[in-house]
């Protein structure tokens, strides 16, 4: 322990090494991802392991996961810009940026999942407002626009001032400033007001669209595992947990990392712990209600979660790694160390991915009519689903893409300046 | 909309008003006006139900009624009546469908499953062939984000617009009967290796698409169409001419009856009058147009 | 251009604009929704496609299926020379009903039968058989002298000319050496059999065999000895009580009318009771399932007879008038009580009492059996006991019982061999068929291969033709004996569409045709004469010869001549002139058979009939046995004791009746002319092993019984999804049945610690094989079983490695009375793999 502590005390060395690790991981993920995307583009869905029974797989789980991260981080940022919560001020911009990056990741994931990627625009042109999915699409389009604009106003002042520089960075800033040259303090204050309004408008949108994602599942009466009024709330709550958790990790890496963001990370840790406990409560209630009711169709999905072939996702991944260990880390004195909190954040964020998988797949893996999956002999009617290599690879690529954006953001985007 | 137009007589209200129209009326009238109208039209019964039994229930029943009205108005209401006593589980229907629609590997618009009932000894199965039920209230069409799938007014057949479908598969999750299939683009060896069969198109929707790499319907959700490509211009089938759903045509036990449920004299309607039947998952309110005789 | 964020425009405006745009988009979207969204719209159609490929395009050609031996009528839609779809042929009784009143009721020339015919899944999948990319395309010659299922034959593709030259020159050498009898010929028994028989006869080999002895010759033998007919047909649709022993007619569909008439009978109030160790798909439609131990059906039948006779419920009138030996039989079953049978069969005695009472009192009742009881070493006697139940209740040839078929159709015009051929034709058959007292003309495959392997038999066989069959997998224990036998032959030729395990062992493999590429005449197994045409709907895909053309071509190369000196395969059987074209020659051959047979029309006329089906309008006749033979027929008759033949026996005379009480009636075609409870003729004979035969249907346990080491019975069966070992490469059929799970009772599985879906080993003293378990209470706890036909090591890419071949566990053995291969007589132990 002390050795580790010593190691971390030598800040330069750590930062250097961390950077190396970060970029290696990023490059590796992108490389693997390239294979996944190549297969997806060339072979379509043939190499994917989902079928006509488990119709949604890793990519949809990835989508609701990333979009949850986005909504969560956005809502954390709104604490700063709407409620003026000073403790998180340092990472306000980072949170909004995270919201944008994870949203892009989410859209990539769901885009890859479409049978016809080239027809994604249909969702804008031919909407069906009876469909929760159409609503969701409209809401997140609006949300994306809103975050983009908000980021612009958050950083406009910095761009405008930085644009005068003739360096490469300066040129980029000039581009990003969209021509705005106003670098007066007055304009800065005006930006702030705009940001506040946008952030305020963003709260209901974020809640609506992520609740909407929950509703997207919740309204499907054909799937008892999903068909629950709690779903929209549960989605929101998990979004907040995962978004907050991710931010602990991100703020320990970026914006001068854990050394400067120590206070924020520890504060975030507290918030995440509270939300996580609430989230667990909600989840437990889902299980209890289902099992007390005892309707076989309703419990079947939960049976799969608890004792199916992929029960380890629940017990090991989601339960132990994603819930129990981080809760302990956030309760015990480790809660005061930004490193341990960041680690807890990482575990929670990863754990929620297990939760997302456990929402999407068991809901589908239950035969709708007994004997259906043995009625014809095809691997597309198999109720057992495990993502294929190319599916994993594609998702890795999305993660790599997200890391790349974060890395570029860290390099190009202005740092938070301490003001006293 | 003017007030004049919204004036309705009590009889009209009791009879045919759909909830949709009622909704419109309410939205254009201010509240006061609406209440006075309510009293003027003497809809005391409506008021009592609202007070007594809960508004939701009455509204939902009105809504359901309106949907059923629509069903009655439909020119044809095609459906199947499947005799479980006659079905021997041979799966001829499965392959007749495949041969008719040229469905690829892993896509099977109809399947035969073996239901094992608890009160029958020795796991003695009941065979049931299961096409798309073309529900009166299909849960699949409502969830489509791009309205690529819809129920046709003229005959109640639920179709998929291959050109519009983006392949998100939301409809597949919404169908309680697993009647929808995703075309992953897999092919039988005969097609892969370009035997003469490879050039045979699927007649679905009279679109005669040849199977080409990644072109629709690859990447689309596909389903049973009651072989609607065999309808004539007026939407009629003809058994004598062989224009009849492929599964019904080949059934070895003659268990699959097909016809117009709107026609009081059709084979299917007569059977439903005379025999006991059930539908799957009635509790979901989908109201399937396929009945199982028991 | 002014930047939007320049003060001139202002941010506020920008945001307003933004909101306005968003709102606008929403409104537009909303309108779009109203226009395109929930509303129905017409889907685009393709008029050109419809014209080219629609139902009205191309041709609908009537033909007959040959995915199995059932030969149902089909209509084939051919567009641009491609088979687009196959549909049922409504004019063919085989697709609808086996009794004429049912078929004629509502029949029209325009549409055919009232409700429309049917075809089974295999019928539809014929398309995938035709266009299977794994088909053999060119003649192949073996280069590797070593043979084995896992040895690469090192095929060399050769031309048709070369293959026919090489094969015929070897055949010629054999014939010239006066060893023509050393050629063995094995054929499937529904397709182009007549011409193969002709070839063998003119070539001079008595060794023409067909596959029946792998199928149902035990049933044939049982019924033949009891009531004189090889294949009585069950008139389900008129029946009120149906008792089936080991038959699965709704799923093991041979004739596709079976599911319809059986379910229709139940609908009309019939009670169905199925005796089978496995609750088959037919039993699933039944009212009662009697889970019997394999090979004990005879004991059950005897116990039922015991009850019926004890309670005097039998039909006295029929027994007095139309049977012999009832008293001996009644004596024999006196102690065959249900309690006695319970110990043997495992069926509760009171159940038997109930079944016996129903069987004798509910009229009409129909008792039938198929391969279940037959494919055991005691199958024939068991089958006799079952067949006699019908006699007991007086039920032969009456509506709703077992009918004597009248299946006249085309006539095989026998060729007369020349002197040289006659010399070798006189030789005994290599399979020693004469040793089997109830043997069938189809021969004894097990004996053929055992004799080759063991160097036994009347002489050494040298060459073998195997047409459209796969004995490696279809002969019990064939993976060992057949494989070894092939390596002991001088030349072996396999004609098949697929590279079967057997083809893999041959010297020459000639590509065969799928039924959609060739002709045949199909007499149908309905109860009155009916015949359908199979005709080529597409040209052979690889320009290969049809099997009959291959035979004809070989016949021409060998210059085979008939007794009158004419070159049989060159001269048109119809006109007597020389015909060059092989197809044309065969068309004439078929025309001649039609004109000489019942239809009395030419091939061209048959093609013009609705559905290309001919049937006798007289329809089904009942109680034929009591009908007097008209005087004009008696004029030319030939008498052999009390039996009456239409011609002398040596001139191919067919039995037409018997003299009973001084009247010439049809009677039953047994020695006595009556149904025989006691068979005097059998009493005088010995079986293939040399044991004397019981003239009564005495129950004896089958040879191979479970013991402590191998405690489980292993059986196999057929389902609608596949035909024997032939269709396991068919992509469509694999989708409805992809492999054959080992069916096991959960109680049995628990005993061996096996769970659903486990891989297990099945082991007998003769081998072991892996399988995947499916647990269900549908099977007797002492029995496990699987669908037959899977577990290929060849045949095609799809077939290889799917499922389990349980034949490996068996030995190559037949029942000593009929020569029936005993597929179902296996005992095994099981353990987790």
């Amino acid at each position: 322990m002390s050795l580790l502590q010593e190691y971390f005390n030598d800040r330069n060395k750590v930062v250097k090494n961390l950077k190396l690790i970060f970029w290696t991981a990023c490059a590796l993920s992108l490389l693997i991802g390239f294979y996944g995307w190549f297969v997806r583009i060339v072979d379509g869905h043939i190499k994917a392991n989902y079928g006509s029974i488990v119709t949604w797989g890793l990519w949809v789980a990835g989508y609701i996961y990333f979009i949850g991260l986005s909504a969560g981080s956005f809502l954390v940022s709104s604490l700063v810009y709407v409620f003026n919560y000073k403790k998180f001020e340092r990472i306000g911009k980072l949170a909004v940026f995270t919201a944008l990056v994870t949203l892009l990741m989410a859209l990539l994931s769901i885009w890859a999942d479409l049978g016809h990627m080239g027809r994604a625009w249909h969702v804008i042109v031919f909407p069906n407002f009876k469909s929760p999915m159409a609503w969701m699409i409209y809401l997140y389009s609006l949300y994306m626009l809103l975050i983009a604009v908000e980021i612009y106003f958050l950083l406009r002042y910095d761009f405008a001032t930085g644009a005068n520089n003739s360096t490469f960075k300066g040129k980029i800033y000039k581009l990003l400033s969209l021509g705005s040259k106003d670098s007066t303090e007055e304009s800065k204050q005006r930006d702030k007001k705009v940001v506040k309004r946008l952030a305020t408008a963003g709260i209901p949108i974020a809640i609506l669209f992520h609740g909407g994602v929950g509703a997207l599942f919740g309204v499907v009466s054909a799937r008892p595992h999903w068909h629950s009024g709690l779903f929209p709330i549960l989605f929101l709550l998990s979004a907040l947990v995962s978004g907050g958790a991710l931010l602990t990790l991100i703020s320990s890496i970026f914006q001068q990392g854990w050394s400067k963001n120590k206070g924020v990370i520890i504060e975030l840790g507290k918030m995440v712990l509270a939300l996580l406990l609430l989230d667990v409560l909600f989840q437990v209630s889902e299980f209890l209600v289902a099992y007390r009711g005892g309707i076989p169709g309703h419990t079947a999905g939960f049976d799969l979660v608890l004792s199916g072939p992929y029960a380890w996702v629940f017990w090991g991944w989601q339960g132990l790694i994603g819930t129990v260990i981080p809760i302990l880390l956030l309760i015990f004195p480790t809660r005061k160390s930004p490193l341990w909190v960041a680690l807890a954040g990482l575990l929670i964020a990863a754990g929620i991915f297990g939760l997302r998988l456990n929402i999407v797949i068991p809901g589908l893996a239950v035969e709708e009519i007994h004997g259906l999956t043995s009625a014809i002999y095809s691997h597309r009617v198999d109720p057992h689903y495990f993502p294929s290599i190319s599916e994993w690879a594609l998702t890795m690529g999305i993660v790599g893409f997200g890391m790349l954006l974060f890395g570029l953001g860290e390099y190009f985007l202005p740092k938070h300046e301490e003001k006293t | 909309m003017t007030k004049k137009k919204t004036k309705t007589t009590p009889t009209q209200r009791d009879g045919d008003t759909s909830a949709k129209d009622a909704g419109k009326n309410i939205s254009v009238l201010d509240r006061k006006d609406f209440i006075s109208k309510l009293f003027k039209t003497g809809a005391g019964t409506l008021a009592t139900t609202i007070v007594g039994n809960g508004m939701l229930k009455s509204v939902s029943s009105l809504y359901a009624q309106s949907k059923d009205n629509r069903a009655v108005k439909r020119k044809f209401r095609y459906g199947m009546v499947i005799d479980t006593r006659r079905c021997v589980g041979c799966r001829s229907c499965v392959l007749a469908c495949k041969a008719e629609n040229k469905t690829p590997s892993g896509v099977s618009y109809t399947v035969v499953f073996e239901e094992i009932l608890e009160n029958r000894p020795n796991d003695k199965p009941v065979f049931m062939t299961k096409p798309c039920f073309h529900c009166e209230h299909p849960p699949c069409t409502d969830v489509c984000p791009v309205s690529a799938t819809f129920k046709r007014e003229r005959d109640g057949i639920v179709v998929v617009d291959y050109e519009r479908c983006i392949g998100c598969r939301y409809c597949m999750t919404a169908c309680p009967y697993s009647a929808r299939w995703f075309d992953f683009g897999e092919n039988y060896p005969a097609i892969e290796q370009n035997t003469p069969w490879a050039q045979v198109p699927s007649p679905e929707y009279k679109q005669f698409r040849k199977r080409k790499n990644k072109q629709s319907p690859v990447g689309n959700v596909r389903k049973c169409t009651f072989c609607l490509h065999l309808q004539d211009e007026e939407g009629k089938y003809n058994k004598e001419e062989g224009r009849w759903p492929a599964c019904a045509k080949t059934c070895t036990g003659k268990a699959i009856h097909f016809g117009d449920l709107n026609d009081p004299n059709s084979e299917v309607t007569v059977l439903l009058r005379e025999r006991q039947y059930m539908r799957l998952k009635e509790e979901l309110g989908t109201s399937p147009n396929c009945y199982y005789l028991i | 251009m002014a930047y939007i964020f320049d003060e001139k425009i202002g941010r506020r405006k920008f945001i307003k604009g933004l909101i306005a745009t968003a709102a606008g988009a929403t409104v537009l979207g909303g309108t779009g929704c109203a226009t395109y969204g929930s509303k129905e719209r017409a889907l685009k159609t393709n008029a050109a496609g419809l014209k080219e490929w629609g139902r009205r395009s191309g041709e609908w050609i009537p033909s007959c299926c040959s995915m199995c031996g059932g030969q149902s009528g089909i209509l084939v839609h051919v567009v641009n020379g491609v088979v687009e779809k196959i549909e049922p042929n409504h004019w063919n009784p085989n697709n609808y009903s086996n009794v004429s009143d049912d078929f004629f009721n509502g029949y029209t020339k325009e549409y055919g039968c009232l409700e429309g015919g049917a075809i089974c899944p295999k019928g539809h999948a014929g398309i995938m058989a035709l266009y299977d990319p794994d088909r053999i395309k060119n003649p192949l010659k073996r280069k590797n002298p070593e043979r084995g299922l896992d040895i690469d034959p090192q095929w060399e593709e050769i031309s048709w000319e070369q293959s026919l030259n090489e094969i015929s020159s070897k055949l010629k050498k054999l014939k010239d050496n006066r060893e023509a009898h050393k050629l063995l010929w094995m054929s499937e028994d529904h397709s182009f059999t007549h011409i193969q028989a002709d070839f063998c006869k003119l070539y001079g080999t008595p060794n023409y065999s067909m596959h029946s002895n792998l199928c149902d010759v035990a049933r044939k033998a049982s019924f033949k000895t009891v009531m004189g007919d090889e294949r009585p047909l069950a008139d389900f649709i008129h029946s009120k009580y149906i008792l089936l022993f080991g038959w699965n007619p709704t799923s093991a569909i041979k004739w596709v009318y079976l599911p319809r008439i059986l379910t229709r009978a139940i609908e009309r109030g019939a009670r169905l009771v199925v005796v089978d160790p496995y609750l088959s798909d037919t039993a699933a439609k039944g009212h009662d399932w009697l889970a019997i131990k394999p090979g004990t059906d005879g004991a059950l039948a005897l116990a039922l007879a015991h009850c019926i006779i004890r309670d005097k419920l039998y039909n006295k009138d029929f027994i007095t008038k139309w049977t012999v030996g009832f008293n001996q039989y009644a004596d024999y079953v006196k102690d065959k009580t249900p309690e006695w049978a319970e110990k043997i069969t495992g069926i509760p005695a009171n159940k038997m009492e109930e079944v016996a009472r129903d069987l004798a009192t509910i009229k009409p009742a129909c008792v039938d059996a198929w391969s279940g009881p037959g494919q055991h070493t005691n199958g024939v006697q068991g089958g006799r006991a079952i067949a006699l139940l019908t006699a007991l209740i007086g039920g032969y040839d009456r509506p709703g019982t077992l009918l004597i078929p009248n299946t006249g159709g085309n006539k095989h015009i026998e060729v007369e061999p020349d002197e040289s051929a006659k010399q070798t034709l006189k030789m005994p058959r290599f399979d020693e068929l004469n040793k089997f007292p109830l043997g069938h003309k189809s021969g004894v495959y097990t004996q053929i291969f055992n004799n080759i392997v063991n160097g036994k038999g009347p002489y050494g066989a040298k060459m073998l033709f195997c047409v459209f069959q796969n004995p490696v997998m279809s002969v019990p224990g064939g993976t060992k004996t057949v494989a070894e036998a092939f390596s002991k032959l001088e030349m072996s030729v396999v004609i098949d569409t697929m590279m079967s395990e057997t083809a893999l062992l041959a010297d020459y493999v000639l590509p065969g045709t799928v039924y959609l590429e060739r002709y045949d005449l199909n007499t149908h197994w309905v109860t009155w004469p009916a015949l359908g045409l199979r005709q080529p709907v597409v040209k052979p895909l690889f320009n290969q010869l049809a099997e009959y053309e291959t035979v004809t071509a070989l016949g021409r190369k060998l210059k085979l001549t008939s007794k009158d000196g004419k070159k049989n395969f060159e001269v048109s059987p119809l006109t007597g002139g020389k015909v060059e074209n092989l197809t044309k020659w065969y068309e004439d051959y078929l025309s001649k058979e039609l004109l000489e047979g019942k239809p009395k029309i030419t091939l061209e006329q048959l093609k013009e009939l609705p559905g290309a089906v001919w049937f006798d309008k007289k329809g089904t006749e009942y109680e034929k046995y009591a009908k007097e033979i008209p005087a004009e027929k008696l004029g030319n008759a030939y008498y052999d004791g009390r039996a009456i033949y239409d011609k002398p026996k040596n001139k191919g005379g067919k039995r037409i009746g018997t003299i009973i009480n001084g009247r010439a009636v049809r009677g039953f075609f047994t020695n006595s002319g009556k149904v025989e409870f006691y068979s005097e003729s059998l009493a005088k004979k010995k079986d293939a092993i040399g044991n004397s035969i019981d003239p009564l249907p005495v129950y004896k346990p089958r040879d191979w019984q479970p013991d402590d080491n191998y405690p489980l019975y292993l059986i196999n069966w057929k389902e609608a999804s596949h035909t024997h070992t032939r269709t396991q490469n068919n992509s469509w059929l694999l989708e409805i049945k992809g492999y054959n799970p080992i069916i096991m009772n959960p109680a049995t599985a628990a005993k061996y610690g096996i769970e659903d879906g486990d891989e297990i080993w099945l082991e007998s003293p003769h081998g072991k094989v892996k399988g995947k378990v499916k647990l269900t209470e549908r099977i007797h706890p002492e029995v496990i079983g699987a669908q037959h036909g899977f577990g290929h090591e060849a045949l095609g890419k799809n077939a290889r490695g799917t499922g389990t071949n349980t034949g490996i566990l068996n030995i190559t053995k037949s029942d000593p009375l009929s020569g029936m291969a005993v597929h179902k007589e296996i005992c095994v132990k099981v353990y987790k793999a």
Side-chain angles (χ1 to χ4, degrees), chain A residues 168-204:
Chain A
F168 175 63
K169 223 174 182 176
K171 278 177 190 157
I172 296 275
Y173 279 12
K174 199 169 177 183
L175 203 71
L176 289 174
S177 69
L178 301 178
S180 168
K181 287 168 191 154
D182 193 348
S183 53
T184 57
E185 197 55 30
E186 187 194 341
S187 71
K188 204 176 170 185
Q189 290 311 313
R190 239 185 353 230
D191 285 349
K192 228 176 174 177
K193 274 185 205 158
V194 174
V195 166
K196 184 169 182 179
R197 276 174 201 158
L198 285 172
T200 314
I203 294 176

Side-chain angles (χ1 to χ4, degrees), chain C residues 191-474:
Chain C
S191 316
F192 38 81
T193 51
H194 293 176
I195 191 164
Q196 296 177 78
D198 289 358
F199 179 92
C200 289
K201 214 166 173 185
L202 295 175
Y203 180 77
T205 176
N207 290 308
Y208 174 58
S209 318
M210 289 173 287
H211 101 279
S212 265
N213 63 86
L214 300 178
C215 178
D216 67 339
V217 295
R219 180 186 188 267
K220 283 179 169 137
S222 301
F223 279 100
K224 182 93 180 150
T225 54
V226 166
M227 47 80 74
D229 206 278
E230 278 189 349
R231 193 176 262 184
L233 295 175
D235 181 9
F236 289 142
I237 204 158
H238 293 127
S239 193
K240 287 284 176 262
Y241 188 87
I242 301 164
L243 176 63
L244 298 179
F245 287 80
W247 187 20
N248 180 18
T250 68
S251 181
I253 311 169
K254 190 177 176 80
W255 308 302
V256 76
Y257 59 67
L258 287 166
R260 179 180 165 272
I261 62 171
L262 191 67
T263 53
R264 208 52 67 90
I266 296 167
E267 197 171 294
R268 293 176 185 177
R271 200 174 162 75
L272 171 65
V273 178
V274 178
V275 181
D276 201 314
Y278 174 58
L279 196 154
S280 63
D281 289 356
T282 303
K285 307 309 284 179
H287 300 86
D288 229 328
W289 170 51
L290 307 187
I292 193 168
K293 283 185 196 168
T296 65
D297 305 69
L300 172 63
L302 291 173
L304 295 178
H306 166 92
C307 298
I308 292 170
I309 294 172
R310 180 197 63 202
D311 298 345
K312 301 201 166 42
L313 295 174
Y314 51 89
N315 187 322
K316 222 176 227 163
D317 184 53
F318 182 84
I319 288 171
T320 330
K321 278 191 190 155
W322 293 107
T323 69
V324 294
F326 176 69
N327 290 336
Q328 286 108 310
Y329 178 70
D331 259 5
Y332 173 65
V333 299
K334 212 160 227 167
D335 58 351
K336 303 298 173 285
T337 60
E339 288 71 26
W340 166 80
E342 178 172 339
K343 285 187 202 118
I344 296 166
T345 62
I347 297 166
N350 57 357
K351 194 66 176 177
M352 289 185 231
E353 296 276 0
E354 180 195 319
V355 170
R357 193 172 53 242
D358 288 351
L359 178 62
T361 53
I362 302 175
K363 287 185 191 331
C366 177
V367 187
D368 205 349
W370 216 272
S371 303
Q375 296 174 349
H376 304 271
T377 41
N378 62 357
V380 175
Q381 291 290 33
R384 285 181 70 213
I386 295 165
L388 285 169
L389 288 174
T390 305
L392 215 49
I393 56 172
Y396 274 115
D397 216 31
R398 294 175 180 179
T401 68
L402 276 187
L403 307 187
I404 299 167
N406 181 0
T407 53
N410 55 318
K411 188 179 179 189
H412 184 190
I413 299 141
E414 297 286 341
V415 288
E416 288 283 325
D418 63 11
E419 279 312 310
S420 74
K422 262 187 189 162
Q423 292 306 316
T424 45
L425 267 175
K426 272 188 222 151
M427 301 294 289
R429 282 179 63 104
F430 181 71
D431 59 11
E432 300 165 281
L433 181 60
N434 56 332
K435 281 193 184 170
F436 293 83
L438 299 174
H440 181 255
K441 63 175 181 190
S442 76
V444 187
Y445 279 11
T446 54
Q447 196 73 9
I448 291 178
F449 292 110
N450 281 336
N451 280 352
I452 299 177
V453 168
N454 302 327
K456 287 186 180 165
Y459 41 83
K462 288 197 167 167
M463 297 187 186
L464 181 138
F465 260 74
C466 182
V467 184
F468 199 17
Q469 294 188 91
N470 187 9
V472 171
M473 279 189 73
S474 55

